[in-house]
Amino acid sequence: MILKQDLMSLQFYKKEKFTGSCRGMRYLIRKSTENDSDIFEVFTWPGPYNFASTDEGKKARKTFPFQQESLADIAGYLNEIYESGKDTWPTGIF
């Protein structure tokens, strides 16, 4: 399970992206701009490969407002994605 505390602070995302994994599901969280507004972009994909090495067709993307409150929503979203596909994530990967 991914908790809000497992994600970095809002200040971190102003300069860096964050990648992680949960039992075969990989994810990337980064700040981006869309329609002149700052947003979080959240990508999920099956392991074992990193973001750059994974086929675009295997990645899912969702956006959230770039604000502190979104981090709890992102943690919830990542858990939902993991649960909905947990039978399809590669096994033996952490």
Coordinates of all heavy atoms in Angstrom, one line a residue:
M1 N 0.8 -1.2 0.0 CA 0.0 0.0 0.0 C 0.9 1.2 0.0 O 1.9 1.3 0.7 CB -0.9 0.0 1.2 CG -1.7 1.2 1.3 SD -2.9 1.1 2.7 CE -4.4 1.4 1.8
I2 N 0.5 2.2 -0.8 CA 1.3 3.5 -0.9 C 0.5 4.5 0.0 O -0.7 4.7 -0.2 CB 1.3 3.9 -2.4 CG1 2.0 2.9 -3.2 CG2 2.0 5.3 -2.4 CD1 1.9 3.1 -4.7
L3 N 1.3 5.1 0.9 CA 0.7 6.1 1.8 C 1.2 7.5 1.3 O 2.2 7.6 0.7 CB 1.2 5.9 3.2 CG 0.9 4.5 3.8 CD1 1.5 4.4 5.2 CD2 -0.6 4.3 3.9
K4 N 0.4 8.5 1.7 CA 0.7 9.9 1.4 C 2.2 10.2 1.9 O 2.9 10.9 1.2 CB -0.3 10.8 2.0 CG 0.1 12.3 1.7 CD -0.9 13.2 2.4 CE -0.3 14.6 2.3 NZ -0.8 15.5 3.4
Q5 N 2.5 9.7 3.0 CA 3.8 9.9 3.6 C 4.9 9.3 2.8 O 6.1 9.7 2.9 CB 3.9 9.3 5.1 CG 2.9 9.9 6.0 CD 1.6 9.1 6.1 OE1 0.9 9.1 5.1 NE2 1.2 8.5 7.2
D6 N 4.6 8.3 1.9 CA 5.6 7.7 1.1 C 6.0 8.6 -0.1 O 7.0 8.4 -0.7 CB 5.1 6.4 0.5 CG 4.8 5.3 1.6 OD1 5.5 5.4 2.6 OD2 3.9 4.5 1.4
L7 N 5.1 9.6 -0.4 CA 5.4 10.5 -1.5 C 6.2 11.7 -0.9 O 6.1 12.0 0.2 CB 4.1 10.9 -2.1 CG 3.1 9.8 -2.5 CD1 1.9 10.4 -3.1 CD2 3.8 8.9 -3.5
M8 N 6.9 12.4 -1.8 CA 7.7 13.5 -1.4 C 6.8 14.7 -1.1 O 5.6 14.8 -1.5 CB 8.7 13.8 -2.4 CG 9.6 12.6 -2.8 SD 10.5 11.9 -1.4 CE 11.7 13.1 -1.1
S9 N 7.4 15.8 -0.6 CA 6.7 17.0 -0.3 C 6.5 17.8 -1.6 O 7.1 17.6 -2.6 CB 7.5 17.9 0.7 OG 8.6 18.4 0.0
L10 N 5.5 18.7 -1.5 CA 5.2 19.6 -2.7 C 6.5 20.3 -3.2 O 6.7 20.4 -4.4 CB 4.1 20.6 -2.3 CG 3.6 21.4 -3.5 CD1 2.8 20.5 -4.4 CD2 2.7 22.5 -2.9
Q11 N 7.3 20.8 -2.2 CA 8.6 21.5 -2.6 C 9.5 20.6 -3.4 O 10.1 21.1 -4.3 CB 9.3 22.0 -1.3 CG 8.5 23.0 -0.5 CD 8.3 24.3 -1.4 OE1 9.1 24.7 -2.1 NE2 7.1 24.8 -1.2
F12 N 9.6 19.4 -3.1 CA 10.4 18.4 -3.9 C 10.0 18.4 -5.4 O 10.9 18.5 -6.3 CB 10.3 17.0 -3.3 CG 11.0 16.0 -4.1 CD1 12.3 15.7 -3.8 CD2 10.4 15.2 -5.1 CE1 13.0 14.7 -4.5 CE2 11.1 14.3 -5.8 CZ 12.4 14.0 -5.5
Y13 N 8.7 18.4 -5.6 CA 8.2 18.3 -7.0 C 8.4 19.5 -7.8 O 8.3 19.5 -9.0 CB 6.7 17.9 -7.0 CG 6.5 16.5 -6.5 CD1 6.0 16.2 -5.2 CD2 6.9 15.3 -7.3 CE1 5.8 15.0 -4.7 CE2 6.7 14.1 -6.8 CZ 6.2 13.9 -5.5 OH 6.0 12.6 -5.0
K14 N 8.7 20.6 -7.2 CA 9.0 21.9 -7.9 C 10.3 21.8 -8.7 O 10.5 22.5 -9.6 CB 9.0 23.1 -6.9 CG 7.7 23.4 -6.4 CD 7.7 24.6 -5.5 CE 6.3 24.9 -5.0 NZ 6.3 26.1 -4.1
K15 N 11.2 20.8 -8.2 CA 12.5 20.7 -8.9 C 12.8 19.3 -9.4 O 13.6 19.1 -10.3 CB 13.6 21.1 -7.9 CG 13.5 22.5 -7.5 CD 14.7 22.9 -6.7 CE 14.6 24.4 -6.3 NZ 15.8 24.9 -5.8
E16 N 12.1 18.3 -8.9 CA 12.5 16.9 -9.2 C 11.2 16.1 -9.5 O 10.1 16.4 -9.2 CB 13.2 16.2 -8.1 CG 14.5 16.9 -7.6 CD 15.6 16.7 -8.7 OE1 15.6 15.8 -9.4 OE2 16.5 17.6 -8.7
K17 N 11.4 15.0 -10.2 CA 10.4 14.0 -10.4 C 10.6 12.8 -9.4 O 11.7 12.7 -8.8 CB 10.4 13.4 -11.8 CG 11.7 12.7 -12.2 CD 11.6 12.3 -13.6 CE 13.0 11.6 -14.0 NZ 13.1 11.4 -15.4
F18 N 9.6 12.0 -9.2 CA 9.7 10.9 -8.2 C 9.2 9.7 -8.8 O 8.2 9.6 -9.5 CB 8.8 11.3 -7.0 CG 8.9 10.2 -5.9 CD1 9.9 10.1 -5.1 CD2 7.8 9.4 -5.7 CE1 10.0 9.1 -4.1 CE2 7.8 8.4 -4.7 CZ 8.9 8.3 -3.9
T19 N 10.0 8.6 -8.7 CA 9.6 7.3 -9.2 C 9.6 6.3 -8.1 O 10.3 6.4 -7.1 CB 10.6 6.8 -10.3 OG1 11.9 6.7 -9.8 CG2 10.6 7.7 -11.5
G20 N 8.7 5.3 -8.2 CA 8.6 4.3 -7.2 C 8.0 3.1 -7.8 O 7.7 3.0 -9.0
S21 N 7.8 2.1 -7.0 CA 7.2 0.8 -7.4 C 6.4 0.2 -6.2 O 6.7 0.5 -5.1 CB 8.2 -0.2 -7.9 OG 9.1 -0.6 -6.9
C22 N 5.5 -0.6 -6.6 CA 4.7 -1.4 -5.6 C 4.3 -2.7 -6.2 O 3.5 -2.9 -7.1 CB 3.4 -0.6 -5.3 SG 2.3 -1.4 -4.1
R23 N 5.1 -3.7 -5.8 CA 4.9 -5.1 -6.2 C 4.6 -5.3 -7.7 O 3.6 -5.9 -8.1 CB 3.7 -5.7 -5.4 CG 4.0 -5.7 -3.9 CD 2.9 -6.3 -3.2 NE 3.2 -6.3 -1.7 CZ 2.4 -5.9 -0.8 NH1 1.2 -5.6 -1.1 NH2 2.8 -5.9 0.4
G24 N 5.5 -4.8 -8.5 CA 5.4 -4.9 -10.0 C 4.8 -3.8 -10.7 O 5.0 -3.7 -11.9
M25 N 4.1 -2.9 -10.0 CA 3.6 -1.7 -10.7 C 4.6 -0.5 -10.4 O 5.0 -0.3 -9.3 CB 2.3 -1.3 -10.0 CG 1.7 0.0 -10.6 SD 0.2 0.6 -9.8 CE 1.0 1.5 -8.4
R26 N 5.0 0.1 -11.5 CA 5.9 1.2 -11.4 C 5.1 2.5 -11.6 O 4.1 2.5 -12.2 CB 7.0 1.1 -12.5 CG 7.8 -0.1 -12.6 CD 8.9 -0.1 -11.6 NE 9.6 -1.4 -11.6 CZ 10.8 -1.6 -11.4 NH1 11.6 -0.5 -11.0 NH2 11.4 -2.7 -11.4
Y27 N 5.7 3.6 -11.0 CA 5.0 4.9 -11.1 C 6.0 6.0 -11.1 O 7.1 5.9 -10.6 CB 3.9 5.1 -10.1 CG 4.4 5.0 -8.6 CD1 4.8 6.2 -8.0 CD2 4.4 3.8 -7.9 CE1 5.2 6.1 -6.6 CE2 4.8 3.7 -6.6 CZ 5.2 4.9 -6.0 OH 5.6 4.8 -4.7
L28 N 5.5 7.1 -11.8 CA 6.3 8.3 -11.9 C 5.4 9.5 -11.6 O 4.3 9.5 -12.1 CB 6.9 8.5 -13.3 CG 7.7 9.8 -13.5 CD1 8.9 9.5 -14.4 CD2 6.9 10.8 -14.2
I29 N 5.9 10.4 -10.7 CA 5.1 11.6 -10.4 C 6.0 12.8 -10.7 O 7.1 12.9 -10.3 CB 4.7 11.6 -8.9 CG1 3.9 10.4 -8.5 CG2 3.9 12.9 -8.6 CD1 3.8 10.2 -7.0
R30 N 5.5 13.8 -11.5 CA 6.2 15.0 -11.8 C 5.3 16.2 -12.0 O 4.1 16.0 -12.3 CB 7.1 14.7 -13.0 CG 6.3 14.6 -14.3 CD 7.2 14.3 -15.5 NE 6.4 14.1 -16.7 CZ 6.8 13.6 -17.8 NH1 8.1 13.2 -17.9 NH2 6.1 13.4 -18.9
K31 N 5.9 17.3 -11.8 CA 5.2 18.6 -12.0 C 5.3 18.9 -13.5 O 6.3 18.6 -14.2 CB 5.9 19.7 -11.3 CG 5.3 21.1 -11.5 CD 6.1 22.1 -10.8 CE 5.6 23.5 -11.3 NZ 6.7 24.5 -11.1
S32 N 4.2 19.4 -14.1 CA 4.2 19.7 -15.5 C 3.3 21.0 -15.6 O 2.7 21.4 -14.6 CB 3.6 18.6 -16.3 OG 3.8 18.8 -17.7
T33 N 3.2 21.5 -16.8 CA 2.3 22.6 -17.1 C 1.3 22.2 -18.2 O 1.7 21.6 -19.2 CB 3.1 23.8 -17.5 OG1 4.0 24.1 -16.5 CG2 2.2 25.0 -17.7
E34 N 0.0 22.5 -17.9 CA -1.0 22.2 -18.9 C -2.0 23.4 -18.9 O -2.5 23.8 -17.8 CB -1.7 20.9 -18.5 CG -2.7 20.4 -19.6 CD -3.1 19.0 -19.2 OE1 -4.1 18.9 -18.4 OE2 -2.5 18.0 -19.6
N35 N -2.2 24.0 -20.0 CA -3.1 25.1 -20.1 C -2.7 26.3 -19.2 O -3.5 26.8 -18.5 CB -4.6 24.8 -19.9 CG -5.1 23.7 -20.9 OD1 -4.7 23.7 -22.0 ND2 -5.9 22.8 -20.4
D36 N -1.4 26.5 -19.1 CA -0.8 27.6 -18.3 C -1.0 27.4 -16.8 O -0.9 28.3 -16.0 CB -1.4 29.0 -18.7 CG -1.0 29.4 -20.1 OD1 0.1 29.0 -20.5 OD2 -1.8 30.0 -20.8
S37 N -1.3 26.1 -16.4 CA -1.5 25.8 -15.0 C -0.5 24.7 -14.6 O -0.3 23.8 -15.4 CB -2.9 25.3 -14.6 OG -3.8 26.4 -14.9
D38 N 0.1 24.8 -13.4 CA 0.9 23.7 -12.9 C 0.0 22.5 -12.5 O -1.0 22.7 -11.9 CB 1.7 24.2 -11.7 CG 2.8 25.1 -12.1 OD1 3.2 25.2 -13.3 OD2 3.3 25.9 -11.3
I39 N 0.5 21.3 -12.9 CA -0.2 20.1 -12.5 C 0.8 19.0 -12.1 O 2.0 19.2 -12.3 CB -1.0 19.6 -13.7 CG1 -0.1 19.3 -14.9 CG2 -2.2 20.5 -14.1 CD1 -0.7 18.4 -16.0
F40 N 0.2 18.0 -11.4 CA 1.0 16.8 -11.2 C 0.6 15.9 -12.4 O -0.6 15.7 -12.7 CB 0.5 16.0 -10.0 CG 1.1 16.6 -8.7 CD1 0.4 17.2 -7.8 CD2 2.5 16.4 -8.4 CE1 0.9 17.7 -6.6 CE2 3.0 16.8 -7.2 CZ 2.3 17.5 -6.3
E41 N 1.6 15.2 -13.0 CA 1.4 14.2 -14.0 C 1.8 12.9 -13.2 O 2.9 12.8 -12.7 CB 2.3 14.3 -15.2 CG 1.8 15.2 -16.3 CD 2.7 15.1 -17.5 OE1 3.9 15.3 -17.4 OE2 2.1 14.8 -18.6
V42 N 0.9 11.9 -13.3 CA 1.2 10.6 -12.6 C 1.1 9.5 -13.7 O 0.0 9.4 -14.4 CB 0.2 10.3 -11.5 CG1 0.5 9.0 -10.8 CG2 0.2 11.5 -10.5
F43 N 2.1 8.8 -13.9 CA 2.2 7.7 -14.8 C 2.3 6.4 -14.1 O 3.0 6.3 -13.1 CB 3.4 7.8 -15.8 CG 3.3 9.0 -16.7 CD1 3.9 10.2 -16.3 CD2 2.8 8.9 -17.9 CE1 3.8 11.3 -17.1 CE2 2.7 10.1 -18.7 CZ 3.3 11.3 -18.3
T44 N 1.6 5.3 -14.6 CA 1.8 4.0 -14.0 C 2.1 3.0 -15.2 O 1.7 3.3 -16.3 CB 0.6 3.5 -13.3 OG1 -0.6 3.6 -14.1 CG2 0.3 4.3 -12.0
W45 N 2.9 2.0 -14.9 CA 3.2 1.0 -16.0 C 3.7 -0.3 -15.3 O 4.1 -0.2 -14.1 CB 4.2 1.5 -17.0 CG 5.6 1.8 -16.4 CD1 6.6 0.9 -16.5 CD2 6.1 2.9 -15.7 NE1 7.7 1.4 -15.9 CE2 7.4 2.7 -15.4 CE3 5.5 4.1 -15.3 CZ2 8.2 3.6 -14.7 CZ3 6.3 5.0 -14.6 CH2 7.6 4.8 -14.3
P46 N 3.6 -1.4 -16.0 CA 4.1 -2.6 -15.4 C 5.6 -2.7 -15.5 O 6.3 -2.2 -16.4 CB 3.5 -3.7 -16.3 CG 3.3 -3.0 -17.6 CD 3.0 -1.6 -17.3
G47 N 6.3 -3.2 -14.4 CA 7.7 -3.4 -14.4 C 8.1 -4.5 -15.4 O 7.2 -5.1 -16.0
P48 N 9.3 -4.8 -15.5 CA 10.4 -4.4 -14.7 C 11.2 -3.2 -15.2 O 12.1 -2.7 -14.5 CB 11.3 -5.6 -14.7 CG 11.2 -6.1 -16.1 CD 9.7 -5.9 -16.4
Y49 N 10.8 -2.7 -16.4 CA 11.7 -1.6 -17.0 C 11.3 -0.2 -16.5 O 10.2 0.0 -16.0 CB 11.5 -1.7 -18.5 CG 11.9 -3.0 -19.0 CD1 11.0 -3.9 -19.6 CD2 13.3 -3.5 -18.9 CE1 11.4 -5.1 -20.0 CE2 13.6 -4.7 -19.4 CZ 12.7 -5.5 -19.9 OH 13.1 -6.8 -20.4
N50 N 12.3 0.7 -16.6 CA 12.0 2.1 -16.2 C 11.1 2.8 -17.2 O 10.8 2.2 -18.3 CB 13.4 2.8 -16.0 CG 14.1 3.0 -17.3 OD1 13.6 2.9 -18.4 ND2 15.4 3.3 -17.2
F51 N 10.8 4.0 -16.9 CA 9.8 4.8 -17.7 C 10.3 4.9 -19.1 O 9.5 4.7 -20.0 CB 9.7 6.2 -17.0 CG 8.6 7.0 -17.6 CD1 7.3 6.8 -17.4 CD2 9.0 8.1 -18.5 CE1 6.3 7.6 -18.0 CE2 8.0 8.9 -19.0 CZ 6.7 8.7 -18.8
A52 N 11.6 5.3 -19.3 CA 12.1 5.6 -20.6 C 12.1 4.3 -21.5 O 12.0 4.4 -22.7 CB 13.5 6.2 -20.6
S53 N 12.3 3.2 -20.9 CA 12.5 1.9 -21.6 C 11.1 1.2 -21.8 O 11.1 0.1 -22.4 CB 13.4 1.0 -20.9 OG 14.7 1.6 -20.8
T54 N 10.0 1.7 -21.3 CA 8.7 1.0 -21.4 C 7.9 1.6 -22.6 O 7.9 2.8 -22.8 CB 7.9 1.2 -20.1 OG1 8.7 0.6 -19.1 CG2 6.6 0.5 -20.2
D55 N 7.3 0.7 -23.4 CA 6.5 1.1 -24.5 C 5.4 2.1 -24.0 O 4.7 1.8 -23.0 CB 5.9 -0.2 -25.1 CG 5.0 0.1 -26.3 OD1 4.4 1.1 -26.5 OD2 4.9 -0.9 -27.1
E56 N 5.2 3.1 -24.8 CA 4.1 4.1 -24.4 C 2.8 3.5 -24.3 O 2.0 4.0 -23.5 CB 4.1 5.2 -25.5 CG 5.3 6.1 -25.5 CD 5.5 6.9 -24.2 OE1 4.6 7.4 -23.7 OE2 6.7 7.0 -23.8
G57 N 2.5 2.5 -25.0 CA 1.2 1.8 -24.9 C 0.9 1.1 -23.6 O -0.2 0.8 -23.3
K58 N 2.0 0.9 -22.8 CA 1.8 0.2 -21.5 C 1.7 1.2 -20.4 O 1.5 0.8 -19.2 CB 3.0 -0.7 -21.3 CG 3.0 -1.9 -22.2 CD 4.2 -2.8 -21.9 CE 4.2 -4.0 -22.9 NZ 5.2 -5.0 -22.5
K59 N 1.8 2.5 -20.7 CA 1.7 3.5 -19.6 C 0.3 4.1 -19.5 O -0.3 4.3 -20.5 CB 2.7 4.6 -19.9 CG 4.2 4.2 -20.0 CD 5.1 5.3 -20.4 CE 6.5 4.9 -20.7 NZ 7.3 6.0 -21.3
A60 N -0.1 4.4 -18.3 CA -1.3 5.1 -18.1 C -1.0 6.5 -17.5 O 0.0 6.6 -16.7 CB -2.2 4.3 -17.2
R61 N -1.7 7.5 -17.8 CA -1.4 8.9 -17.3 C -2.7 9.5 -16.7 O -3.8 9.3 -17.2 CB -1.0 9.8 -18.4 CG -0.8 11.2 -18.1 CD -0.4 12.0 -19.3 NE -0.2 13.4 -19.0 CZ -1.1 14.4 -19.2 NH1 -2.3 14.1 -19.7 NH2 -0.8 15.6 -18.9
K62 N -2.5 10.2 -15.6 CA -3.6 10.9 -14.9 C -3.0 12.2 -14.4 O -1.8 12.2 -14.0 CB -4.2 10.1 -13.8 CG -5.4 10.8 -13.2 CD -6.3 9.9 -12.4 CE -7.3 10.7 -11.6 NZ -8.6 10.5 -12.2
T63 N -3.8 13.3 -14.4 CA -3.3 14.5 -13.9 C -4.1 14.9 -12.6 O -5.2 14.5 -12.4 CB -3.4 15.7 -14.9 OG1 -4.8 15.9 -15.3 CG2 -2.6 15.3 -16.2
F64 N -3.4 15.7 -11.8 CA -4.0 16.3 -10.6 C -3.6 17.7 -10.4 O -2.5 18.1 -10.9 CB -3.5 15.5 -9.4 CG -3.9 14.1 -9.3 CD1 -3.2 13.1 -10.0 CD2 -5.0 13.7 -8.6 CE1 -3.6 11.8 -10.0 CE2 -5.4 12.4 -8.6 CZ -4.7 11.4 -9.3
P65 N -4.3 18.6 -9.8 CA -3.9 20.0 -9.5 C -2.6 19.9 -8.7 O -2.4 19.1 -7.9 CB -5.0 20.6 -8.7 CG -6.2 19.7 -8.9 CD -5.6 18.3 -9.2
F66 N -1.7 20.9 -9.0 CA -0.4 20.9 -8.3 C -0.6 21.7 -7.0 O -0.4 22.9 -6.9 CB 0.7 21.6 -9.2 CG 2.0 21.5 -8.6 CD1 2.7 20.3 -8.6 CD2 2.6 22.6 -7.9 CE1 4.0 20.2 -8.1 CE2 3.9 22.5 -7.4 CZ 4.6 21.3 -7.5
Q67 N -1.0 20.9 -6.0 CA -1.3 21.5 -4.6 C -1.1 20.4 -3.6 O -1.1 19.2 -3.9 CB -2.7 22.1 -4.5 CG -3.8 21.1 -4.9 CD -5.1 21.7 -5.0 OE1 -5.2 22.9 -5.3 NE2 -6.2 21.0 -4.8
Q68 N -0.8 20.8 -2.4 CA -0.5 19.8 -1.3 C -1.6 18.7 -1.2 O -1.3 17.6 -1.0 CB -0.3 20.6 0.0 CG 0.2 19.7 1.2 CD 1.6 19.2 1.0 OE1 2.4 19.8 0.5 NE2 1.8 18.0 1.5
E69 N -2.8 19.2 -1.2 CA -3.9 18.2 -1.0 C -3.9 17.1 -2.1 O -4.5 16.0 -1.8 CB -5.3 19.0 -1.1 CG -5.4 20.0 0.0 CD -4.7 21.3 -0.2 OE1 -4.3 21.6 -1.4 OE2 -4.4 22.0 0.8
S70 N -3.4 17.3 -3.2 CA -3.4 16.3 -4.3 C -2.5 15.1 -3.9 O -2.8 14.0 -4.5 CB -2.9 16.9 -5.6 OG -3.8 17.9 -6.1
L71 N -1.6 15.3 -3.1 CA -0.7 14.1 -2.7 C -1.5 13.0 -2.1 O -1.2 11.8 -2.4 CB 0.4 14.6 -1.8 CG 1.4 15.5 -2.5 CD1 2.4 16.1 -1.5 CD2 2.2 14.8 -3.7
A72 N -2.5 13.3 -1.3 CA -3.3 12.2 -0.7 C -4.2 11.6 -1.8 O -4.3 10.4 -1.8 CB -4.2 12.8 0.4
D73 N -4.6 12.4 -2.8 CA -5.4 11.9 -3.9 C -4.5 11.0 -4.8 O -5.0 10.0 -5.3 CB -6.0 13.0 -4.7 CG -7.0 13.8 -3.9 OD1 -7.6 13.3 -3.0 OD2 -7.2 15.0 -4.3
I74 N -3.3 11.4 -5.0 CA -2.4 10.6 -5.8 C -2.1 9.3 -5.1 O -2.1 8.2 -5.8 CB -1.1 11.4 -6.1 CG1 -1.4 12.6 -7.0 CG2 0.0 10.5 -6.6 CD1 -0.2 13.6 -7.1
A75 N -1.9 9.2 -3.8 CA -1.6 8.0 -3.1 C -2.9 7.1 -3.3 O -2.7 5.9 -3.6 CB -1.3 8.2 -1.7
G76 N -4.0 7.6 -3.1 CA -5.3 6.8 -3.3 C -5.4 6.3 -4.7 O -5.8 5.1 -4.9
Y77 N -5.1 7.1 -5.7 CA -5.2 6.7 -7.1 C -4.2 5.6 -7.4 O -4.6 4.6 -8.0 CB -4.9 7.9 -8.0 CG -4.6 7.6 -9.4 CD1 -5.7 7.2 -10.2 CD2 -3.3 7.6 -9.9 CE1 -5.4 6.8 -11.6 CE2 -3.1 7.2 -11.3 CZ -4.1 6.9 -12.1 OH -3.9 6.5 -13.4
L78 N -3.0 5.7 -6.9 CA -2.0 4.7 -7.1 C -2.4 3.3 -6.5 O -2.3 2.3 -7.1 CB -0.6 5.1 -6.6 CG 0.1 6.2 -7.3 CD1 1.3 6.7 -6.6 CD2 0.4 5.8 -8.7
N79 N -3.0 3.4 -5.3 CA -3.5 2.2 -4.7 C -4.7 1.6 -5.5 O -4.8 0.3 -5.6 CB -3.9 2.4 -3.2 CG -2.7 2.7 -2.4 OD1 -1.7 1.9 -2.4 ND2 -2.8 3.7 -1.5
E80 N -5.5 2.4 -6.0 CA -6.7 1.9 -6.8 C -6.1 1.2 -8.1 O -6.6 0.2 -8.5 CB -7.6 3.1 -7.2 CG -8.4 3.6 -6.1 CD -9.2 4.8 -6.6 OE1 -9.4 5.1 -7.8 OE2 -9.7 5.6 -5.7
I81 N -5.2 1.9 -8.7 CA -4.6 1.3 -10.0 C -3.9 -0.1 -9.6 O -4.1 -1.0 -10.4 CB -3.6 2.3 -10.6 CG1 -4.3 3.5 -11.2 CG2 -2.8 1.6 -11.7 CD1 -5.3 3.2 -12.2
Y82 N -3.2 -0.1 -8.5 CA -2.5 -1.3 -8.2 C -3.6 -2.4 -7.9 O -3.5 -3.5 -8.5 CB -1.7 -1.2 -6.9 CG -1.2 -2.5 -6.4 CD1 -0.1 -3.2 -7.1 CD2 -1.8 -3.2 -5.4 CE1 0.3 -4.4 -6.7 CE2 -1.4 -4.4 -5.0 CZ -0.3 -5.0 -5.7 OH 0.1 -6.3 -5.3
E83 N -4.6 -2.1 -7.1 CA -5.6 -3.1 -6.8 C -6.4 -3.6 -8.0 O -6.7 -4.8 -8.2 CB -6.6 -2.6 -5.8 CG -6.0 -2.5 -4.4 CD -5.6 -3.8 -3.8 OE1 -6.3 -4.9 -4.0 OE2 -4.6 -3.9 -3.1
S84 N -6.7 -2.7 -8.9 CA -7.5 -3.0 -10.1 C -6.7 -3.9 -11.1 O -7.3 -4.6 -11.9 CB -8.0 -1.8 -10.8 OG -7.0 -1.1 -11.4
G85 N -5.4 -3.9 -11.0 CA -4.6 -4.7 -11.9 C -3.6 -5.6 -11.3 O -2.7 -6.1 -11.9
K86 N -3.8 -5.9 -10.0 CA -2.8 -6.6 -9.2 C -2.6 -8.0 -9.8 O -1.5 -8.6 -9.6 CB -3.1 -6.6 -7.7 CG -4.2 -7.5 -7.3 CD -4.3 -7.4 -5.7 CE -5.4 -8.2 -5.1 NZ -5.4 -8.0 -3.7
D87 N -3.5 -8.6 -10.5 CA -3.3 -9.9 -11.1 C -2.5 -9.8 -12.4 O -2.0 -10.8 -12.9 CB -4.6 -10.6 -11.4 CG -5.4 -10.9 -10.1 OD1 -4.8 -11.1 -9.1 OD2 -6.7 -11.0 -10.2
T88 N -2.3 -8.6 -12.9 CA -1.5 -8.4 -14.1 C -0.1 -7.9 -13.9 O 0.7 -7.9 -14.8 CB -2.3 -7.5 -15.1 OG1 -2.4 -6.2 -14.5 CG2 -3.7 -8.0 -15.4
W89 N 0.2 -7.4 -12.7 CA 1.5 -6.8 -12.5 C 2.5 -8.0 -12.4 O 2.2 -9.0 -11.9 CB 1.6 -6.0 -11.2 CG 0.6 -4.9 -11.1 CD1 -0.4 -4.8 -10.2 CD2 0.5 -3.8 -12.0 NE1 -1.1 -3.6 -10.5 CE2 -0.6 -3.0 -11.5 CE3 1.2 -3.3 -13.1 CZ2 -1.0 -1.8 -12.2 CZ3 0.8 -2.2 -13.7 CH2 -0.3 -1.4 -13.2
P90 N 3.7 -7.8 -12.9 CA 4.7 -8.8 -12.9 C 5.0 -9.2 -11.5 O 5.1 -8.4 -10.6 CB 6.0 -8.2 -13.5 CG 5.5 -7.0 -14.2 CD 4.2 -6.6 -13.6
T91 N 5.2 -10.5 -11.2 CA 5.5 -11.0 -9.9 C 7.0 -11.1 -9.6 O 7.8 -11.1 -10.6 CB 4.9 -12.4 -9.6 OG1 5.4 -13.3 -10.6 CG2 3.4 -12.3 -9.7
G92 N 7.4 -11.1 -8.4 CA 8.8 -11.1 -8.1 C 9.5 -9.8 -8.2 O 10.7 -9.8 -8.1
I93 N 8.8 -8.7 -8.3 CA 9.3 -7.4 -8.5 C 8.8 -6.5 -7.3 O 7.7 -6.5 -7.0 CB 8.9 -6.7 -9.8 CG1 9.5 -7.6 -11.0 CG2 9.5 -5.3 -9.9 CD1 9.0 -7.1 -12.3
F94 N 9.7 -5.8 -6.7 CA 9.3 -4.9 -5.6 C 9.4 -3.5 -6.1 O 10.0 -3.0 -6.9 CB 10.2 -5.1 -4.4 CG 10.0 -6.5 -3.8 CD1 10.9 -7.5 -4.2 CD2 9.0 -6.7 -3.0 CE1 10.7 -8.8 -3.7 CE2 8.8 -8.0 -2.5 CZ 9.7 -9.0 -2.8

